[in-house]
Amino acid sequence: MLKKMVAVLLLVLGCVTVSGCATTVETIKQPNDDSVVSVPDNKQSNMGSSTELLNASLGNDGAYIFSSAHPSYTVNSSGEKTVMAILDQDAVDHRSGLYSLTTSCIGAGTLDIEFMVGDNVNNGTLECGSQPRSAIVSTRIEQTGNGLRVKIIPSKGSDAEIAYRVDIS
């Protein structure tokens, strides 16, 4: 009886980690500019060591802002996958300088990146791969600017880990 229970448990775990046993429905949830999308935590990811590899490649030493790796999707109790946009923003004053957003990913999919400090907005794109890849989007503000926004929208079907950091010089 115990062997039978272990075999069933292993089968179920195999389905969960491979994601091949359940039909998935994928939709992209794009945030409104006045909302903040909560970032899924690492417990929802099945990429394990990829998360650690991505965090290590990005590094957080001396970062003005740092967001560690998290999946580009959430999975509900029915096994449906929902691709999630990331929107982190604030409404505080940021000093003048050159702000650089480094976005990194590992896995599959493409990321559309928008970076705003004060009134300055710049965009970029990053295609994820089997090894960590990064893109830098920078913007300079000459005087104190109010508000900073990082918006990352994964392409439909993305299966990636995403991390970012903001540096100022």
Side-chain angles (χ1 to χ4, degrees), residues 55-124:
N55 283 338
S57 73
L58 191 58
N60 69 356
D61 55 312
Y64 185 65
I65 299 171
F66 183 78
S67 174
S68 63
H70 49 274
S72 60
Y73 58 88
T74 59
V75 179
N76 68 17
S77 60
S78 303
E80 295 172 325
K81 183 189 286 187
T82 302
V83 176
M84 296 293 293
I86 298 166
L87 176 59
D88 292 336
Q89 62 186 10
D90 65 30
V92 300
D93 288 337
H94 296 277
R95 66 182 173 92
S96 63
L98 176 64
Y99 289 78
S100 298
L101 167 67
T102 304
T103 304
S104 296
C105 64
I106 188 169
T110 302
L111 308 177
D112 288 326
I113 304 162
E114 180 184 281
F115 183 46
M116 180 201 78
V117 181
D119 293 329
N120 297 342
V121 179
N122 282 322
N123 298 291

